[in-house]
Amino acid sequence: MDLEAFLDHLNSGRPVQGGGEAHLFMHGVSQQALRLTAEINSGYHQPEELRDLFSQLIGKPVDGSFAFFPPFYTDCGKNIHIGKNVFVNMGCKFQDQGGIFIGDGALIGHNVVLATLNHAKSPSDRASMIPAPIHIGKNVWIGANATILPGVTIGDGAIVAAGAVVAGDVPENTIVGGVPARVIRPLSEEELQ
C-alpha cells in the first residue's frame, strides 16, 4: 500500500480493519507525523518555518496566510486540507484519517479536538476504525476546548461555543454550544455585518 491508496481507502469511508493492510500502513504514517509534530513543538520557529513544517506534515503546501501556534498534535497529518486565512491556536489535536477540510477564514481556538475516526461497536472488532470527514466552512469560529466528532459539517459563518461537543451538523450562521451541542440561536443581521 502507498499513501495514495491509503488515502483512497480512508476517503471511501470503508472501515480500517484492525491489523489489516491499511491499519499497518497507518502506523508508519503516524511515526512520520510524530516526528514532524515533535519538531514543530520543540523550540521557537518563525512563522515561515512553521508553515514549511506544517506543509511537510500534510504533504502539500499551505497558503502564506495560514498561521498556527504550537503545540499542535496529529497522528496522521496527510488528510488535512487548509484554506486561506486560517488560524489554529495552541494545543489543538487533529485526528485526520477520515479527512479534515477547513474553509477560508476559519479560526480554531485553543485545545480544539477534531476527531474523524470511530471504533467499531462490536467488542470482538473494536480494533477496527470507521473514518468520516469533518468539514469546517468559511469564516467559522470554533471556541476553546470544543470537540468536533466524525462526519460533522459546520456551515459557513457558524460559531461553536467553547467546550461544546459537536456530534451533528451545524447550520450556517448559527451559534451552537453544550454537550451535546445544539443550536443556541442564529446570528442576527447585525452580527452578520
Side-chain angles (χ1 to χ4, degrees):
M1 176 169 278
D2 62 11
L3 183 60
E4 184 178 348
F6 173 65
L7 291 174
D8 286 345
H9 181 101
L10 292 173
N11 293 332
S12 74
R14 294 189 321 262
V16 176
Q17 287 302 128
E21 183 180 18
H23 190 222
L24 296 175
F25 189 85
M26 188 184 300
H27 285 285
V29 172
S30 293
Q31 292 307 304
Q32 293 172 13
L34 292 171
R35 180 183 59 76
L36 282 165
T37 56
E39 188 172 348
I40 287 168
N41 297 333
S42 64
Y44 174 76
H45 301 283
Q46 293 286 335
E48 317 72 63
E49 294 174 284
L50 285 174
R51 278 192 296 275
D52 181 59
L53 287 166
F54 199 88
S55 294
Q56 291 176 49
L57 179 66
I58 69 172
K60 54 193 159 290
V62 292
D63 189 78
S65 62
F66 170 67
F68 76 107
F69 290 167
F72 174 83
Y73 305 95
T74 184
D75 57 354
C76 180
K78 299 303 185 202
N79 214 359
I80 298 173
H81 310 271
I82 303 275
K84 296 178 181 176
N85 298 305
V86 169
F87 175 68
V88 177
N89 217 324
M90 293 179 194
C92 289
K93 299 170 182 75
F94 289 11
Q95 181 197 49
D96 62 287
Q97 287 88 342
I100 293 174
F101 301 84
I102 301 176
D104 295 348
L107 304 173
I108 313 294
H110 288 90
N111 301 315
V112 166
V113 173
L114 304 179
T116 65
L117 288 176
N118 272 319
H119 285 277
K121 290 186 176 74
S122 169
S124 63
D125 192 31
R126 192 65 46 84
S128 293
M129 294 162 277
I130 298 98
I134 291 172
H135 292 271
I136 297 170
K138 294 178 181 178
N139 301 310
V140 166
W141 173 21
I142 300 178
N145 296 302
T147 298
I148 314 299
L149 297 177
V152 167
T153 295
I154 300 174
D156 293 348
I159 298 172
V160 175
V165 176
V166 184
D169 290 351
V170 175
E172 66 180 26
N173 299 319
T174 59
I175 301 171
V176 299
V179 179
R182 52 188 179 276
V183 174
I184 296 170
R185 66 177 176 82
L187 291 169
S188 69
E189 289 300 320
E190 198 171 86
E191 290 167 324
L192 290 169
Q193 299 301 322

